[in-house]
Amino acid sequence: MTGAVDSEWRPLAPPPPADDLPVWRLLWELRTSNISIWPERAYDELLLPRRVFGLETLLVSDPAGIQEVLATRAVHYRRYMVTPRLLRPVAGDGVLLAEGEAWRQQRRSVSPAFKPANVDRVLQRFVEAAKHLCARAEAQSRDGSVNLYRLLQTGAIDALGRGLFSLSFDDRADRLAAMARAYFAGPGRPNIGDSFARHENQFRWATWRRRRFERKWFAEIDSVISDWRQASSTAGGAGGVEDIMTVLSRWRDPDSGRPISGHELRHQTATMIAAGFETTALAMLWTAFLLGHHQDVQEEIRRELDRNPPGNLQSLKDLERWPRLREALFEAMRLYPPVAFMSRIA
């Protein structure tokens, strides 16, 4: 990737309107972007009160306020109804959409699988996925231009398959990525019914395409689990290394001794795939985009990686060897966060 260094260059972004949009214009903008609806002052003020569809809203950009809503006093807030309506077909009943006591129970069962020691054991699987991604990029570049977004989507899904399930997704990665793209470009976009729904199943006539997608998506999830069970039938998983899914499946409730159920495993699988690959792909995409416009930073990171090749990655502690890369990733996520905002109702 190359690009001229330009001190005057500014990151691309939809131009914000000078003031609050009228309802008809807001609905129109929501068809293509949920960022372009925010006025200029939203980028300067830490707390921005607004009235939308007759509802009093408060846009919180203050770090202390975010901590209050999402962590310190999270029990006093619940998700805006549009979120589960849009994400349930792809994420199921997993930890992403759980709330209250259900969230605490699910978090207790899922968290142990992602302890650093467990992640360390599968890091080489992620290295393998990265090598496979680079090989695909090189092969595609011989035929001309490369669609980096689609390449990174399939690469992120393949990394999940290898690290979480000991599976190389290959063709499945392309299929899952295509399904997700089609969903979020079509039935997964907000509609007028989502804005006024008081519960998740209201206005079901407006969600039939989501339900149809959900059936096809979970058929793929069931196929992943079936292949994982078959691959893990040998002790210790593929290559003698326990994957994340194996650790999760062996979890027992510390109070009752209850194992994780098949239903829970199915929906946590859907959540891990749906929530893990798109956010990761977007973070990588915008990092690459920004590095393409700042060749000096790109060269610094290249030298950093030459000094400490990623192929030697053994533990999460090793990530500290690449501080410049870490800074670039964080800056990309600051400018282009994979999830631009989260909604809660007090």
Side-chain angles (χ1 to χ4, degrees):
M1 220 179 314
T2 60
V5 179
D6 182 1
S7 60
E8 297 301 316
W9 183 84
R10 295 291 181 270
L12 299 176
D19 206 345
D20 291 347
L21 295 175
V23 172
W24 69 268
R25 174 82 184 281
L26 188 147
L27 290 172
W28 179 262
E29 292 290 340
L30 274 175
R31 294 173 64 249
T32 56
S33 170
N34 57 17
I35 296 176
S36 58
I37 64 173
W38 300 102
E40 288 180 351
R41 66 181 188 280
Y43 296 88
D44 297 315
E45 300 180 14
L46 294 181
L47 298 172
L48 178 65
R50 296 181 70 192
R51 189 173 181 85
V52 181
F53 300 129
L55 299 174
E56 295 292 339
T57 69
L58 184 67
L59 179 63
V60 181
S61 300
D62 176 46
I66 295 171
Q67 177 76 16
E68 177 87 358
V69 173
L70 296 183
T72 309
R73 294 170 61 84
V75 68
H76 296 287
Y77 301 88
R78 60 182 172 85
R79 285 183 176 84
Y80 187 44
M81 188 51 63
V82 69
T83 303
R85 283 174 67 91
L86 297 180
L87 295 183
R88 188 77 67 191
V90 69
D93 301 329
V95 69
L96 178 67
L97 295 178
E99 293 188 282
E101 184 58 30
W103 177 84
R104 281 185 286 274
Q105 291 180 355
Q106 290 193 35
R107 180 67 182 265
R108 186 165 62 170
S109 65
V110 171
S111 294
F114 291 93
K115 287 182 177 179
N118 292 326
V119 177
D120 286 347
R121 283 199 290 267
V122 297
L123 280 180
Q124 279 301 312
R125 304 269 179 83
F126 291 106
V127 173
E128 293 167 7
K131 291 178 179 178
H132 186 63
L133 170 64
C134 291
R136 290 190 65 174
E138 186 174 355
Q140 291 181 21
S141 66
R142 298 194 197 104
D143 300 325
S145 61
V146 174
N147 187 321
L148 192 58
Y149 176 48
R150 294 193 175 187
L151 186 71
L152 291 173
Q153 274 190 323
T154 55
I157 292 180
D158 184 46
L160 283 172
R162 293 170 188 263
L164 272 62
F165 307 98
S166 298
L167 300 173
S168 177
F169 274 13
D170 288 330
D171 292 341
R172 176 183 277 139
D174 290 317
R175 189 166 61 251
L176 288 172
M179 289 178 67
R181 283 195 300 271
Y183 177 73
F184 287 112
R189 297 203 65 83
N191 59 46
I192 191 66
D194 297 323
S195 301
F196 293 101
R198 293 180 177 273
H199 58 80
E200 202 170 326
N201 293 318
Q202 195 170 9
F203 308 126
R204 282 179 62 84
W205 53 269
T207 62
W208 66 270
R209 292 172 64 202
R210 293 174 190 169
R211 297 195 299 274
R212 183 176 65 179
F213 168 84
E214 184 175 8
R215 289 192 294 271
K216 294 180 179 179
W217 178 260
F218 271 89
E220 290 286 347
I221 299 301
D222 292 338
S223 175
V224 169
I225 295 175
S226 176
D227 289 350
W228 164 74
R229 291 190 187 281
Q230 184 174 351
S232 62
S233 59
T234 57
V241 178
E242 282 191 343
D243 51 51
I244 299 297
M245 195 70 167
T246 300
V247 177
L248 179 61
S249 68
R250 291 178 178 172
W251 175 84
R252 296 294 183 272
D253 185 284
D255 298 326
S256 65
R258 179 187 69 84
I260 190 167
S261 70
H263 174 88
E264 291 169 325
L265 207 61
R266 182 179 189 243
H267 286 261
Q268 299 301 359
T269 298
T271 287
M272 288 187 288
I273 293 176
F277 90 91
E278 177 69 352
T279 50
T280 303
L282 285 173
M284 291 192 292
L285 175 70
W286 288 115
T287 302
F289 170 78
L290 292 169
L291 289 175
H293 285 276
H294 295 84
Q295 191 174 356
D296 55 338
V297 180
Q298 183 182 153
E299 289 302 325
E300 288 179 30
I301 293 174
R302 193 187 308 276
R303 289 193 295 270
E304 185 176 77
L305 293 171
D306 285 342
R307 289 192 300 270
N308 296 284
N312 297 329
L313 188 64
Q314 297 297 323
S315 75
L316 293 173
K317 187 76 174 175
D318 292 340
L319 299 177
E320 297 175 3
R321 299 184 301 189
W322 306 301
R324 201 70 178 101
L325 176 58
R326 177 186 175 92
E327 291 169 357
L329 285 165
F330 277 24
E331 179 67 358
M333 288 191 286
R334 183 185 73 84
L335 292 169
Y336 295 106
V339 179
F341 58 87
M342 291 177 281
S343 302
R344 294 292 188 270
I345 296 178

